[in-house]
Amino acid sequence: METIPKRIIASLYTLLLLLNATNIVKSEPTQDKQSLLSFLSQIHHENRLQWNPSESACNWIGVQCDPTNSSVTSLRLPGVGLVGEIPPNTLTSLTQLRILSLRSNRLSGAIPAGFSNLTLLRSLYLQNNQFSGEFPTALTELTRLTRLDISSNTLSGPLPFSLANLTHLTGLFLQNNEFSGRIPSIDLPSLADFNVSNNRLNGSIPNSLARFPSSSFENNLDLCGGPLPPCNPFFPSPTPSPLPPPSSAPVRKNNRKLSTAAIVGISVAGGVLILLLLLCLIFLLIRKRRSKTRKVQKPPGIITARTVAEAGTSSSKDDITGGSVEGGDRNKLVFFEGGRYSFDLEDLLRASAEVLGKGSVGTSYKAVLEEGTTVVVKRLKDVTAAKREFEQQMAVVGNVKHENVLPLRAFYFSKDEKLLVCDFMPAGSLSALLHGSRGTGRTPLDWDNRLRIALSTARGLTHLHTTEKMVHGNIKSSNILLKQENLDACISDFGLNPLFSNTTFTNHRIMGYRAPEVLEARKVTFKSDVYGFGVLLLELLTGKSPNQASLGEEEIDLPRWVQSVVREEWTAEVFDVELMSNHSVEEEMVQLLQIGMACVAIVPDQRPEMQEVLRMIEDMNSSRGDTDDGLRHSSDSQTPSKESRLSPPGPGVTP
Ligand SMILES: *[C@@H]1O[C@H](CO)[C@@H](O)[C@H](O)[C@H]1NC(C)=O
Ligand SMILES: *[C@@H]1O[C@H](CO)[C@@H](O)[C@H](O)[C@H]1NC(C)=O
Ligand SMILES: *[C@@H]1O[C@H](CO)[C@@H](O)[C@H](O)[C@H]1NC(C)=O
Ligand SMILES: *[C@@H]1O[C@H](CO)[C@@H](O)[C@H](O)[C@H]1NC(C)=O
Ligand SMILES: *[C@@H]1O[C@H](CO)[C@@H](O)[C@H](O)[C@H]1NC(C)=O
């Protein structure tokens, strides 16, 4: 009974509000009207615009409002004879604008930086004016833009890389200006119309824009590649190339010598000359090969990505002279879909780089590209797979997508150089977090974070095993990278084993994680991944690195060491001292220890499947927040069936 009057009152109230609202609706966009009047009064124009101040602005020529008439959403003033600079604080105050067209006037000066205030702008047409100055970077902040036309002005200077921010662009018209420098390698998937003709651009056309016709690029200073004739790889005209002269100069000379000598040889038709020529060629080839091997065997240390890519270039050069022409493929990084990068080998060439680490598959570099992107480049060594195998495996690896798996972004294959490109993870690896700079100045990795890392790693690995049916083959703490925000784990370096011959992995760095059967049969399996994951759990719990040849006095591997300590008495001694301050989590630690030990069972069949491991960790995680009683209860109720597996090494398991 009581609710009915309340409801009536409520609906009356709503009605009142609505009436009030329609009142507001009837009014016009006062503020925007002011801005428009102020714009018109301050700019020279040919009186073609008759905006009557006593009328609603929504009725004016060229003006459109939103449905409630509270703001101006579209302003189209093409060819109305506007002259001079756009007065400040006029149009830039129309913050609700979706469409702005001022084309075909005689507007001049710089395009106002205040345009960055028009955040809702979808279409901007400023073509056929006399705007000057540099490309207005303010425009690249308008991330909703779909059409941007600033053609036929006198804009100059470089095109900013921040154009890449305009991910919704379908049309970008920059022709008939005086832009100079290189075309930034922007990759805008929805871009359908693109024109930079009649400017002063030079350098190579980025791969991402090569799909446009040559008329989009014609009449520039010196553009090459894409739809235009290819850039000469040995005369890198595009930009001042960092290729050191010694490596390119001899090649250039060779080519010249070859052609003139050939002409002479033909004209004289002297066999002797041809013979000499051949000798000369052989000599040069040998010399070049030598200098190349010298280059590749550069000592480790701070090597720039330049040297990485340089080796790639020289090898493709080799391919040509060797007759095995790879056509347009050479020098090409192959990108996977869904990535946000758009650079080419040339950009990598110019990147600065530092060594991140040397692993069992090769050396990783952190490369900072010119436009600020940071990526990790892995230079694989001792790859035995042929090009096709390699590409096939990369296609498989590149398709893996999961939040706890580090995606492969691109790869490069040439005879002498195999590169992988992944995201750079600034938070670093689990290995660095656990073992890096112990002691002073170190923030201990607390239990919650360790459990979170264990859980997210298990999720990633389970995804590989179940959804992708892929063996990781290289589980270790340095391949577990952490996300900056929440320390969730991301697994890297997966699925690379098929690229190497079986003998590659006798490397000591990974020994501690290798299941016993892998050391013998040299074949990785799902179960050997589970073993590696088990070692990882023990590493998280003990804080000890399985790579250490000896733990303390004994020469023993981590699983056996844990087993020996635990067998004597379920002692807390195994756990990392950093964890010992918090006694409330001891039970969880023991639980995770049990899971870890189940994973490192000697006999592969006794190890649980990865999805089972994941479920156990998830159960553990979800029982958190319960009372102590609940925790014990739930763990009791789920363990009996696994009891035999989870208990410390039984008789059948001990070595
Ligand atoms: C908005 O303004 C236009 C032009 O004055 C008018 O025709 C229209 O009825 C107005 N709409 C509303 C909802 O008031
Ligand atoms: C841009 O917007 C800010 C805040 O809305 C305002 O203070 C500023 O004056 C605007 N700039 C221009 C050029 O209109
Ligand atoms: C736009 O691009 C620049 C340079 O690439 C970058 O620094 C900036 O953060 C980007 N801005 C947005 C809003 O994405
Ligand atoms: C690009 O602009 C130039 C000059 O306006 C024009 O000749 C050419 O046809 C345009 N190309 C494309 C693909 O639109
Ligand atoms: C390309 O243009 C830039 C700027 O105009 C200039 O500095 C550079 O030398 C040019 N490069 C070549 C190879 O012409």
Side-chain angles (χ1 to χ4, degrees), residues 345-363:
L345 202 60
E346 224 176 280
D347 297 318
L348 264 191
L349 220 94
R350 279 178 278 127
S352 68
E354 68 183 82
V355 175
L356 282 179
K358 299 188 88 178
S360 43
V361 296
T363 306

Side-chain angles (χ1 to χ4, degrees), residues 353-514:
E354 68 183 82
V355 175
L356 282 179
K358 299 188 88 178
S360 43
V361 296
T363 306
S364 296
Y365 304 83
K366 171 185 168 185
V368 183
L369 300 175
E370 262 181 356
E371 86 288 325
T373 314
T374 305
V375 293
V376 170
V377 180
K378 277 180 201 289
R379 192 178 180 190
L380 303 182
K381 62 163 196 258
D382 304 329
V383 170
T384 51
K387 183 167 190 197
R388 256 193 81 152
E389 277 174 79
F390 189 92
E391 285 172 347
Q392 280 168 355
Q393 183 63 14
M394 286 303 103
V396 174
V397 170
N399 254 329
V400 178
K401 295 205 167 50
H402 186 267
E403 57 175 341
N404 300 119
V405 172
L406 187 70
L408 180 64
R409 297 302 187 186
F411 70 88
Y412 171 82
F413 184 100
S414 75
K415 214 171 81 197
D416 299 278
E417 203 66 58
K418 285 94 190 159
L419 307 175
L420 305 184
V421 178
C422 320
D423 296 347
F424 175 67
M425 306 286 281
S429 73
L430 175 60
S431 173
L433 209 60
L434 272 180
H435 313 302
S437 69
R438 283 241 161 183
T440 52
R442 176 189 150 83
T443 2
L445 189 56
D446 67 17
W447 174 245
D448 278 356
N449 278 325
R450 292 191 199 209
L451 194 56
R452 180 198 295 271
I453 291 166
L455 182 62
S456 44
T457 307
R459 286 194 177 130
L461 193 53
T462 305
H463 174 81
L464 287 183
H465 282 190
T466 56
T467 315
E468 309 288 345
K469 306 270 179 280
M470 181 188 285
V471 175
H472 184 292
N474 204 359
I475 291 284
K476 53 178 177 170
S477 57
S478 56
N479 280 341
I480 308 299
L481 303 175
L482 301 167
K483 297 188 184 172
Q484 188 113 51
E485 325 85 65
N486 51 12
L487 287 185
D488 261 3
C490 240
I491 308 181
S492 74
D493 268 16
F494 51 94
L496 301 182
N497 285 69
L499 307 180
F500 303 92
S501 76
N502 288 339
T503 49
T504 311
F505 281 114
T506 41
N507 189 319
H508 265 287
R509 289 175 166 277
I510 195 178
M511 282 294 245
Y513 297 90
R514 292 265 133 180

Side-chain angles (χ1 to χ4, degrees), residues 22 25-28 56-59 65-69:
T22 42
V25 160
K26 278 204 170 137
S27 72
E28 57 163 338
S56 162
C58 302
N59 274 345
C65 299
D66 68 334
T68 64
N69 283 357

